């Protein structure tokens, strides 16, 4: 397949792919990936650990069903979890381990066929591309004077992709009937909710499916090429995208073009979350966890709140663990969050570090028999140097190794 793609397969369709889905090499890679990620059990109750104990038997069954065209996906298990920073709930989809393996095999076969033709400025869920690259491109365009921004939001994108139109795009490059039939089964496998029972999925892509990000990219790729053909500077990461323009008039024209494309594609831009922004003024816009405004960028407010929520879980005043154990768990969060939010202004990292030290001083204050938050003389009892000696990692050292980084004014 890769050799054929390198030679060019323009204007041709792939007719024989199903055998590559159930080949031992593909399924072996899929099993390794899924079992390594672990994850919760689906509607059949089977865990990755249980699957691993019966791997040979399970893979033989999957292979036989795929070869005979009789593989039937199980409904996705729906679980409701709290949204970070909110009391609202959002649905989480959990496919069975078998389905995750078959979807992974499908992904391995389909991805190179479509990846080779994807637009240059799409960054989400693609090999060798990431959110940092998308953010860097936004910064370059802002610096070059593209400061009028179409900040777009597709209303319920993953749940509302028209399945027939999606399959039509897949059929433009794939003609293997068995693979197409298997993909359609996954699109229509439905969800199982403990409260409402089985529900059909007549639109959208499967919740929690490893194949869903690729399908989402396939459906929006025509928009990417359409906007590029019109000379628009669009940056997209999955269903999150912005268009950077030089003038307000250009931004309004670009928004009208996107709205027309969405209507034809059976999608809708969120009327309240889609707007045109002058990034040189106070207010700015958010993209991929960052806030951009007046030539600066910093982690947006929601990103900071999620960081604090994660830290709070490990720094409760009544936490009975030893200080070193608390610091180890906190450091994982600090490094993970900090490695993503590198660069930008220093203020946020400095403020969050001060807040973290207050949480740590509050723990030590309680252990010394004093009530309340860490404050006043606690700064002298437990100075910053004390926490450094204890091994606590600070955000500012992760996000801004260069002390001359700019500060927001």
């Amino acid at each position: 397949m890769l050799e054929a793609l390198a030679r060019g397969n323009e204007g041709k369709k792939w007719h024989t792919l199903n055998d590559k889905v159930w080949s031992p090499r593909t399924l072996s890679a899929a099993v390794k990936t899924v079992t390594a990620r672990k994850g919760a059990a689906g509607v059949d109750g089977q865990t990755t650990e249980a699957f691993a104990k019966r791997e040979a038997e399970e893979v033989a069954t999957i292979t036989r069903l795929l070869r005979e065209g009789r593989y039937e996906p199980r409904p996705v298990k729906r679980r409701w979890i709290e949204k970070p920073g909110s009391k609202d709930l959002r649905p989480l989809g959990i496919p069975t381990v078998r389905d995750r393996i078959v979807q992974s095999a499908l992904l391995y076969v389909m991805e190179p066929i479509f990846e080779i033709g994807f637009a240059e400025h799409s960054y989400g869920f693609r090999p060798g591309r990431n959110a940092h690259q998308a953010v860097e491109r936004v910064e370059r365009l802002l610096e070059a004077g593209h400061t009028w921004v179409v900040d777009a939001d597709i209303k319920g994108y993953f749940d509302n992709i028209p399945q027939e139109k999606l399959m039509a795009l897949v059929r433009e490059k794939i003609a293997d009937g068995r693979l197409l039939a298997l993909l359609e089964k996954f699109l229509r496998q439905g969800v199982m909710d403990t409260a409402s029972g089985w529900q059909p999925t007549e639109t959208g892509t499967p919740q929690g499916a490893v194949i869903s990000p690729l399908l989402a990219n396939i459906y929006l790729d025509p928009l990417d090429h359409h906007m590029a053909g019109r000379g628009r500077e669009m940056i997209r990461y999955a269903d999150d995208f912005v268009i950077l323009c030089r003038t307000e008039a250009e931004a309004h024209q670009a928004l009208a073009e996107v709205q027309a494309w969405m209507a034809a594609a059976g999608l809708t831009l969120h009327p309240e979350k889609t707007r045109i922004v002058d990034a040189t003024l106070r207010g700015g816009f958010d993209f991929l966890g960052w806030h951009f405004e007046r030539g600066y960028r910093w982690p947006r407010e929601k990103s900071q709140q999620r960081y604090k929520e994660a830290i709070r879980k490990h720094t409760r005043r009544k936490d009975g663990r030893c200080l070193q154990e608390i610091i180890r768990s906190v450091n994982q969060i600090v490094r993970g969050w900090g490695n993503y939010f590198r660069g930008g202004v220093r203020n946020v990292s400095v403020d969050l570090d001060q807040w973290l030290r207050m949480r740590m001083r509050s723990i030590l204050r309680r252990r010394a028999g004093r009530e309340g938050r860490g404050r006043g003389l606690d700064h002298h009892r437990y100075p910053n140097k004390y926490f450094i000696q204890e091994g606590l990692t600070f955000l500012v050292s992760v996000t801004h190794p260069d002390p001359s980084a700019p500060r927001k004014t």
Side-chain angles (χ1 to χ4, degrees), residues 12 45 98 104 119 145 148 156 161 211 222 237 267 276 369 391:
K12 299 179 182 178
R98 276 191 182 184
S104 297
W148 282 93
I161 297 175
I211 196 73
Y237 191 97
L267 299 171
I276 291 175

Side-chain angles (χ1 to χ4, degrees), residues 28 39 68 108-109 131 202 222 247 258 269 278 301 308 330 369 388:
S28 175
E68 297 172 357
Y108 298 155
V109 173
E202 298 174 349
T247 66
V258 172
L269 291 180
D278 182 354
E301 189 61 33
K308 286 186 174 182
V330 166
I388 293 174

Side-chain angles (χ1 to χ4, degrees), residues 154-162 165 216 219-220 223 258-270:
I154 305 176
K155 191 173 182 179
Y157 175 58
F158 283 87
D159 292 333
N160 290 297
I161 297 175
K165 292 183 178 182
Y219 200 69
L220 286 182
L223 172 63
V258 172
Q259 288 172 328
W261 188 93
M262 291 287 169
L267 299 171
T268 307
L269 291 180
H270 199 295

Side-chain angles (χ1 to χ4, degrees), residues 107-125:
L107 177 67
Y108 298 155
V109 173
M110 292 176 60
E111 186 175 60
I113 294 172
F114 290 93
E115 171 64 28
I116 197 170
F118 280 159
E120 177 65 24
H121 300 306
S122 163
Y123 295 90
F125 304 105

Side-chain angles (χ1 to χ4, degrees), residues 183-222:
L183 184 57
E184 286 187 298
K185 287 180 181 179
F186 275 113
L187 290 175
R188 300 193 174 109
Q189 69 190 117
V191 297
M192 184 67 73
D193 194 303
T194 53
S196 54
W198 182 84
Q199 298 175 6
T201 48
E202 298 174 349
T203 60
T205 58
Q207 287 186 1
V210 295
I211 196 73
S212 286
L214 172 63
L215 297 177
N217 275 334
I218 289 172
Y219 200 69
L220 286 182
D221 184 59

Side-chain angles (χ1 to χ4, degrees), residues 121 123 132-146 244 292:
H121 300 306
Y123 295 90
H132 287 116
Q133 295 168 338
V135 169
E136 288 170 3
R137 183 159 181 261
V138 169
E139 280 204 305
R140 290 196 300 269
L141 287 169
L142 288 172
E143 291 171 358
H146 295 77
L244 276 68
F292 297 84

Side-chain angles (χ1 to χ4, degrees), residues 15 18 30 54 72 87 175 219 228 249 259 275 281 293 311 347 378 390:
H15 292 271
N18 192 52
R54 304 176 61 249
E72 295 293 335
K87 293 183 179 179
Y219 200 69
Q259 288 172 328
R275 62 201 182 110
L281 301 179
E293 179 184 317
I311 292 292
N347 303 52
D378 292 322
E390 293 296 323

